[in-house]
Amino acid sequence: MAAGGHEYQQLIYETPAPKVARIVMNRPGRRNAQGITMTYELDAAFKRACHDDQINVIILAATGDHWNSGHDISGDEASMPAPDQVVGLWGDYSGKGWEGYYAREKEIYLEITERWRNAPKPVIAEIQGSVISGGIILTWMCDLIVCAEDARFRDATAAEMGIAGVEFWQHPYEMSVRQAKEWLMTGGWMSAQEAKQRGMINHVVPREQLTARTLELAQTIAARNPLTMKLVKQAMNFAQDQMGRKASVDYGFHLHQIGHMQAMLTSGLPIDIESMPPAMRANIEKVVAARKAAAGG
């Protein structure tokens, strides 16, 4: 059954306590990499929770050792959303040149994430293990973030892909500008402890306490007046947008597209694989070869 019928292929939707919904990314074998299926199942699950008058707070969690390894580049799923999946109005997914790719990224990374960020109900991330590149997008759209001590973050797009940061370009609003520059330019890992020092996350707890601590925080907020919590979130998001966040995200997204187009012009691929680690580069080349073979090329 479709996600709209409340059954999911790559998510678990549960209510672990009164007034709390817990959306769990459930692709542990792929380290919860996000493809088309997960994107639209997440959208359906957030809509379900937001439209449920019995839910006041949403938790975004994940199964397995790692929270999210970024965009799914395995080639196992369709690269473009089907017409009945699309929730925006842009269209032109079969456009020539970069038009189709632009439409795709605008829909599934920029606009859909912005809508999740502005969901009226508080969203709390419950994070363990690694969060890489595209997974950062899911982290930053959450209002509060609770991490296990083993959580770590990395945006490898600039250091290894020829792109100036992930599509939801919120870096200087999650840490200081100089910290964001160094993080992007080096492509290094940021530990949960360092992320907390930088102001990107709220709490760091032992792994065995992660779920319980996140649920405790969710229940505390869920017990408050739900309209007041919505207004607090709306006010805070508006203040951040008045500081230029939305304009910066949009500008960063378009610089991201320039990076893709430059890579396409110079290598025929939308990312610069010359800068990638050998194992990742080999995987990309394998996917490309398989697609060419399937297309008869």
Side-chain angles (χ1 to χ4, degrees), residues 21-41:
R22 188 168 182 262
I23 300 169
V24 188
M25 296 177 283
N26 188 31
R27 295 187 80 196
R30 294 289 177 87
R31 299 182 179 181
N32 297 305
Q34 179 189 350
I36 292 292
T37 300
M38 181 179 286
T39 295
Y40 288 100
E41 288 192 351

Side-chain angles (χ1 to χ4, degrees), residues 125-127 131 136 139-140 142-153 173-175 190-205 210 217:
E126 175 190 321
I127 296 177
V131 183
I136 298 293
T139 302
W140 286 347
C142 296
D143 301 296
L144 306 177
I145 301 173
V146 182
C147 288
E149 292 172 331
D150 67 346
R152 58 181 189 164
F153 304 87
Y173 294 89
E174 300 293 341
M175 61 196 80
M190 186 196 325
S191 69
Q193 292 77 11
E194 187 174 359
K196 187 174 188 297
Q197 291 173 356
R198 294 184 179 192
M200 195 178 90
I201 66 175
N202 298 85
H203 303 283
V204 181
V205 300
L210 175 63
L217 180 60

Side-chain angles (χ1 to χ4, degrees), residues 4-186:
H6 303 333
E7 292 185 14
Y8 309 93
Q9 299 177 50
Q10 298 181 6
L11 298 181
I12 299 169
Y13 187 102
E14 55 192 19
T15 51
K19 302 180 181 180
V20 178
R22 188 168 182 262
I23 300 169
V24 188
M25 296 177 283
N26 188 31
R27 295 187 80 196
R30 294 289 177 87
R31 299 182 179 181
N32 297 305
Q34 179 189 350
I36 292 292
T37 300
M38 181 179 286
T39 295
Y40 288 100
E41 288 192 351
L42 282 170
D43 192 64
F46 280 120
K47 183 176 180 180
R48 174 182 177 182
C50 287
H51 288 191
D52 186 344
D53 293 342
Q54 302 304 310
I55 297 298
N56 290 356
V57 176
I58 304 165
I59 294 172
L60 180 61
T63 58
D65 293 332
H66 301 286
W67 199 72
N68 193 283
S69 60
H71 301 334
D72 185 358
I73 58 173
S74 67
D76 292 344
E77 293 189 348
S79 61
M80 297 291 181
D84 63 346
Q85 290 178 305
V86 173
V87 293
L89 300 177
W90 190 265
D92 299 313
Y93 295 95
S94 59
K96 295 180 180 179
W98 194 250
E99 184 178 10
Y101 291 101
Y102 178 89
R104 172 187 184 273
E105 297 219 332
K106 184 177 178 67
E107 160 80 7
I108 67 174
Y109 299 136
L110 179 63
E111 293 186 346
I112 208 168
T113 308
E114 184 71 13
R115 188 167 67 256
W116 296 342
R117 181 234 181 207
N118 292 317
K121 299 180 181 181
V123 179
I124 305 175
E126 175 190 321
I127 296 177
Q128 78 280 2
S130 298
V131 183
I132 303 172
S133 296
I136 298 293
I137 294 174
L138 296 175
T139 302
W140 286 347
M141 67 86 180
C142 296
D143 301 296
L144 306 177
I145 301 173
V146 182
C147 288
E149 292 172 331
D150 67 346
R152 58 181 189 164
F153 304 87
R154 184 174 189 240
D155 185 349
T157 53
E160 296 180 355
M161 300 180 189
I163 312 294
V166 294
E167 293 89 344
F168 195 66
W169 203 89
Q170 201 161 281
H171 303 71
Y173 294 89
E174 300 293 341
M175 61 196 80
S176 76
V177 170
R178 286 187 175 85
Q179 289 170 337
K181 285 178 180 177
E182 180 180 1
W183 191 48
L184 277 170
M185 290 176 178
T186 62

Side-chain angles (χ1 to χ4, degrees), residues 168-285:
F168 195 66
W169 203 89
Q170 201 161 281
H171 303 71
Y173 294 89
E174 300 293 341
M175 61 196 80
S176 76
V177 170
R178 286 187 175 85
Q179 289 170 337
K181 285 178 180 177
E182 180 180 1
W183 191 48
L184 277 170
M185 290 176 178
T186 62
W189 287 99
M190 186 196 325
S191 69
Q193 292 77 11
E194 187 174 359
K196 187 174 188 297
Q197 291 173 356
R198 294 184 179 192
M200 195 178 90
I201 66 175
N202 298 85
H203 303 283
V204 181
V205 300
R207 177 71 171 265
E208 63 272 14
Q209 298 177 19
L210 175 63
T211 298
R213 179 66 184 94
T214 307
L215 182 58
E216 178 187 14
L217 180 60
Q219 289 179 289
T220 298
I221 296 171
R224 307 297 187 234
N225 182 300
L227 176 59
T228 303
M229 297 301 99
K230 291 178 181 180
L231 296 178
V232 167
K233 176 172 180 173
Q234 186 174 359
M236 287 292 183
N237 282 5
F238 178 79
Q240 198 178 39
D241 289 348
Q242 291 300 104
M243 299 173 195
R245 183 211 63 93
K246 181 61 168 64
S248 295
V249 168
D250 289 344
Y251 185 72
F253 175 78
H254 289 100
L255 292 181
H256 182 100
Q257 301 307 309
I258 290 175
H260 278 315
M261 288 185 284
Q262 171 68 8
M264 185 69 81
L265 288 169
T266 56
S267 70
L269 294 173
I271 51 178
D272 177 18
I273 66 171
E274 297 295 329
S275 301
M276 287 184 167
M280 186 179 294
R281 178 177 176 176
N283 186 52
I284 294 290
E285 290 173 339

